[in-house]
Amino acid sequence: MGVIDFRLIRQLWMFLAIAEEQHFGRAAKRLGMSQPPLTEQIKVLEQSLKLQLFDRSRRGTKLSAAGSALLPAVRRFADQVEQLESVVREVAAGQSGVLHIGAITSAMLDTVPPLLSELRQAYPNLTVFVREIDSVEAVPGLEAGELDLAFVRLEGEVGSGIATMPLTEDRLAVAIPKNHPLATLPRIRLKSLESEQLVMSSRQVSPVYFDMLVSVCRSHGFAPRVLHEVRSVSSQIAYVGCGQGLALVPSTMRKLAPENVVIRPLKERVMVVTAALAWNKNRHHPMVDVVVSRLKSHTERRGKVA
């Protein structure tokens, strides 16, 4: 492992300031330094990288093509450094630990907030970072140690050492445009969707969920005719509202349906896991054990998966 080049880190901060200010003078003021040494440090950085990062003119300073290509990575790096500084400050102040959580949007709306409220009360010195992910990102994130916990749509064996626990389950229903003939029925037979064009959650986003829905359709004698693959259940309903097909969705999603969309239950009772907890059993983290125990206790008290 090489020695950290703190000079390069400082130069990248300077690069970012100039890119955002589009002016060496304003960037120097923001950084609390004079302009000549800032200019000199950027020249050193350009020589080191063998790239021209800025186009300079009397009108001001603009990023070159190379600088524009580099900027997103430098911004991500700066965000990571700020997060690291935050963790260091909190640990120095007596914080007890850090927990990194990834979650799909629906879990961030209903499953994650009450858990975080409990953790804040029980462990006031715990620092929690939450970020939105797609279900497909959970396993690699947990395996790499970038995530400690993931709230996603996963079931069963999904990776070496990755454990899952279903948290919320719902009955499958159909989102239908209000003017569609099937919208007049109180319940829909799954087989009646055989000739309909469907809007599905993308397999790239949630492969386990997608494959489960396809399997359900095949078990009832047909392969779904997928017109669109979208990133979320709310997007499915939005597409249905635009007349772009029908969608198989959890029944509780009726709260998201606009006036021109109705959600009808299936005649068949088909249950789907809408959120599950996933964690890496090969990585020991005391707070992961706490969360798993708490959520397992919650589901057992309910007597079923809610």
Side-chain angles (χ1 to χ4, degrees), residues 20 48 68 70 79 82 86 114 142 152 178 183 246 254-255:
E20 292 177 346
S48 175
S68 296
L70 189 64
D79 289 342
E82 287 182 355
S86 174
L142 291 167
V152 288
K178 202 169 187 177
L246 279 61
R254 63 172 61 90
K255 60 190 176 185

Side-chain angles (χ1 to χ4, degrees), residues 86-118:
S86 174
V87 172
V88 170
R89 285 195 302 268
E90 288 160 350
V91 171
Q95 297 287 358
S96 61
V98 179
L99 194 64
H100 291 268
I101 294 175
I104 56 176
T105 307
S106 58
M108 291 175 71
L109 290 172
D110 52 32
T111 306
V112 176
L115 170 66
L116 295 185
S117 180
E118 285 186 26

Side-chain angles (χ1 to χ4, degrees), residues 58-221:
R58 291 182 179 179
R59 294 182 178 180
T61 302
K62 292 185 178 180
L63 284 168
S64 65
S68 296
L70 189 64
L71 182 60
V74 174
R75 279 190 170 135
R76 287 195 298 271
F77 171 76
D79 289 342
Q80 291 169 349
V81 171
E82 287 182 355
Q83 189 176 100
L84 175 60
E85 289 178 339
S86 174
V87 172
V88 170
R89 285 195 302 268
E90 288 160 350
V91 171
Q95 297 287 358
S96 61
V98 179
L99 194 64
H100 291 268
I101 294 175
I104 56 176
T105 307
S106 58
M108 291 175 71
L109 290 172
D110 52 32
T111 306
V112 176
L115 170 66
L116 295 185
S117 180
E118 285 186 26
L119 291 178
R120 289 190 188 102
Q121 290 182 2
Y123 304 93
N125 293 327
L126 176 68
T127 300
V128 180
F129 293 104
V130 180
R131 67 181 175 93
E132 183 182 20
I133 63 170
D134 291 329
S135 293
V136 73
E137 299 175 78
V139 171
L142 291 167
E143 289 178 338
E146 297 172 358
L147 298 173
D148 299 312
L149 294 167
F151 291 82
V152 288
R153 291 192 184 98
L154 290 175
E155 290 185 74
E157 295 295 326
V158 294
S160 178
I162 305 301
T164 62
M165 180 172 66
L167 298 176
T168 58
E169 194 177 43
D170 197 5
R171 186 167 178 169
L172 203 60
V174 189
I176 310 170
K178 202 169 187 177
N179 58 2
H180 191 284
L182 289 177
T184 61
L185 302 177
R187 292 181 179 273
I188 310 297
R189 287 179 59 248
L190 193 57
K191 181 71 172 177
S192 64
L193 303 180
E194 181 176 16
S195 61
E196 299 290 342
Q197 293 180 318
L198 300 180
V199 183
M200 300 271 281
S201 290
S202 172
R203 192 179 191 282
Q204 291 183 336
V205 170
S206 185
V208 173
Y209 186 68
F210 180 93
D211 291 347
M212 182 277 298
L213 291 180
V214 171
S215 177
V216 166
C217 293
R218 290 187 181 278
S219 70
H220 285 78

